[in-house]
Amino acid sequence: QLHVKEEKFYHALLHMIFNIYGMRIVSEQAISHGRIDIIVELKKLIYVIEIKFNSPPELALEQIEQMNYYEPFVKKGKGVMLLGLSFNRSEKHFDITYAYRAL
């Protein structure tokens, strides 16, 4: 009953979860040509995450690649993982799907 049928609901939940686990997270990072949904920086790996609601995760991954959201992180000497997440919800169904690519 508390569910909000929008991407921002899941974005906030993910941000909270990563934060609780003590991970370094930045949400809505503005860059010159767009805004990255979530960046999670670990010791040896950086996740660049785009979230979609009721859309294919490949669409989210495609957005990361087309907008070059990963560019600011490539030179940091860490691995970079591009991750498209899709939260899919209908009246009787809920699932999370993903698409990814390592750089």
Side-chain angles (χ1 to χ4, degrees), residues 19-62:
N19 200 17
I20 287 169
Y21 280 99
M23 296 177 178
R24 183 176 172 182
I25 178 171
V26 176
S27 285
E28 299 294 325
Q29 174 69 48
I31 57 175
S32 64
H33 52 280
R35 190 173 54 228
I36 304 167
D37 280 349
I38 295 178
I39 303 157
V40 178
E41 189 166 351
L42 304 175
K43 196 172 195 175
K44 296 182 180 182
L45 186 63
I46 298 172
Y47 285 91
V48 178
I49 303 171
E50 179 66 26
I51 301 167
K52 296 293 180 196
F53 180 67
N54 286 343
S55 295
E58 293 80 12
L59 191 65
L61 183 60
E62 186 177 303

Side-chain angles (χ1 to χ4, degrees), residues 69-88:
Y69 287 163
Y70 56 88
E71 280 184 343
F73 311 105
V74 173
K75 296 178 184 177
K76 284 193 160 197
K78 297 181 178 187
V80 178
M81 181 70 70
L82 313 181
L83 179 59
L85 290 177
S86 179
F87 293 88
N88 305 293

